[in-house]
Amino acid sequence: INPLFPSAWFRMGVAALRIEDWKTAKRAFIQVTSQEPSEGESWANLCAVYDKLKQPRAAFNAICEAVKYHRSNWKIWENYLTFCLREKEWSLAIDALNSLIDLRVGYGGKSKKDGEVDVPALVIIVEALVSENQQAYLIPADDSKIVGTDERSIAIKKNKFLCRKLNTLFQRIKAECKSDPNVWKIFSVFFKCFKDRENYRDCLIRRVRVMQSSDWEKDETRVSRVCKAVEETAKAYMQDVEQEPRLKREAEMLINATIERVEKGETNNYSTYINSLKQHL
């Protein structure tokens, strides 16, 4: 192969990929990217090779380069998100979710592709931030250092920064994306942990509204899920009644409206669900 022709190296790399000759593929794509650093597809292929060779950080660095030059390729963004999650690069993972929404949501808020939000990725990020928040406050304070420079303060500051980014993403999802009950459930966990009661309740009621669509009362599985979600929402409302008395009335209206729908559906064991809901009145 003529070393001055990157296209020849690229073809060699692709052929090596097909026969799973990872070392040859690695050598070939390194040649391409060294001669043409903006060759995003070669960076993406090199990422795959490093992954096969069990070199996770090298794979992550390669996919970072790939996404620089292929910003409109949703598949590369999905791979980038995957490696961000593996390497626990939470800030970059949130950026990737935003970019995927850009690619999946059309102008005027109309969806170009179902599933604008990667729910499993969102679960991983939320669980990580909740866990890191709890761990940060367990780090002993170090009075020997300047205020704000000890390990505990740095960890708390980093976590707050990531939470602000995630909250910004939440506001965007709420404004632009199709409703998904799983998304609202995930964010409800996030806001509950960080004691944001208003957003916590908002997520819960949005989740219920999405679940209560298209004849849910005629399907016992959906009835069970909806009733559990309504009970969780009503409980959250009642916990905040002392601060906001109006919430009691709203919880009662939600429960009564749900009972009425369940009665109309007359699914098996519907009386069991009704009795369970009435316990919250």
Side-chain angles (χ1 to χ4, degrees):
I1 295 176
N2 189 325
L4 299 179
F5 286 89
S7 59
W9 284 109
F10 182 85
R11 288 194 293 271
M12 178 180 175
V14 171
L17 281 177
R18 289 175 178 170
I19 62 172
E20 299 185 358
D21 183 349
W22 310 124
K23 290 184 178 180
T24 300
K26 173 184 172 181
R27 175 168 168 258
F29 290 123
I30 286 177
Q31 284 286 344
V32 178
T33 54
S34 63
Q35 294 181 52
E36 295 187 0
S38 62
E39 177 50 56
E41 190 173 352
S42 293
W43 282 113
N45 288 335
L46 188 56
C47 167
V49 171
Y50 280 130
D51 190 37
K52 292 293 185 181
L53 293 172
K54 301 188 184 305
Q55 298 178 37
R57 198 63 194 181
F60 173 71
N61 292 335
I63 200 66
C64 286
E65 292 298 316
V67 85
K68 279 184 189 177
Y69 304 111
H70 269 316
R71 302 196 69 81
S72 61
N73 187 315
W74 64 267
K75 186 62 178 176
I76 289 180
W77 275 108
E78 285 188 343
N79 290 336
Y80 175 71
L81 173 60
T82 297
F83 282 95
C84 287
L85 296 175
R86 286 188 190 178
E87 294 299 302
K88 299 182 179 181
E89 296 283 356
W90 309 127
S91 180
L92 296 178
I94 294 170
D95 292 340
L97 284 172
N98 265 307
S99 294
L100 283 167
I101 292 173
D102 288 336
L103 295 172
R104 292 172 174 175
V105 177
Y107 295 104
K110 295 181 179 179
S111 174
K112 294 192 295 186
K113 185 179 184 292
D114 289 337
E116 300 103 331
V117 183
D118 190 317
V119 174
L122 200 56
V123 170
I124 292 171
I125 294 170
V126 168
E127 289 180 347
L129 296 194
V130 168
S131 175
E132 288 184 3
N133 176 68
Q134 295 168 343
Q135 292 172 14
Y137 284 93
L138 293 176
I139 299 173
D142 188 347
D143 297 332
S144 66
K145 293 189 175 182
I146 300 172
V147 176
T149 62
D150 59 294
E151 183 183 355
R152 184 174 189 266
S153 298
I154 292 171
I156 292 171
K157 184 177 180 181
K158 177 186 175 183
N159 188 259
K160 286 182 177 179
F161 166 74
L162 292 172
C163 289
R164 285 195 298 271
K165 286 193 73 169
L166 190 60
N167 186 43
T168 301
L169 175 64
F170 165 72
Q171 299 301 332
R172 184 183 182 192
I173 291 171
K174 185 164 68 169
E176 298 180 21
C177 299
K178 287 182 177 178
S179 292
D180 182 332
N182 295 316
V183 171
W184 301 128
K185 176 61 179 176
I186 296 162
F187 275 116
S188 73
V189 172
F190 171 72
F191 288 119
K192 183 180 182 181
C193 173
F194 291 95
K195 297 180 173 58
D196 185 340
R197 298 294 299 182
E198 183 177 356
N199 273 318
Y200 170 54
R201 295 193 309 269
D202 182 52
C203 288
L204 291 177
I205 193 63
R206 286 175 180 272
R207 177 187 175 214
V208 168
R209 287 170 182 162
V210 176
M211 295 174 75
Q212 288 183 333
S213 60
S214 63
D215 299 328
W216 63 270
E217 68 275 13
K218 296 178 182 179
D219 182 323
E220 186 170 1
T221 300
R222 293 179 67 188
V223 168
S224 175
R225 291 172 181 169
V226 167
C227 289
K228 288 179 182 177
V230 168
E231 288 181 31
E232 183 181 2
T233 305
K235 184 178 179 181
Y237 274 44
M238 296 303 288
Q239 288 173 344
D240 297 335
V241 163
E242 187 174 340
Q243 292 78 23
E244 298 186 58
R246 63 176 178 80
L247 294 175
K248 181 178 180 181
R249 177 60 180 160
E250 291 182 16
E252 291 172 346
M253 289 174 63
L254 174 63
I255 291 172
N256 286 325
T258 304
I259 289 173
E260 185 178 346
R261 291 280 295 273
V262 173
E263 287 175 338
K264 288 181 179 179
E266 294 186 350
T267 57
N268 295 330
N269 302 316
Y270 77 96
S271 60
T272 303
Y273 303 120
I274 291 173
N275 292 334
S276 181
L277 287 168
K278 285 182 177 179
Q279 292 179 8
H280 296 275
L281 289 173

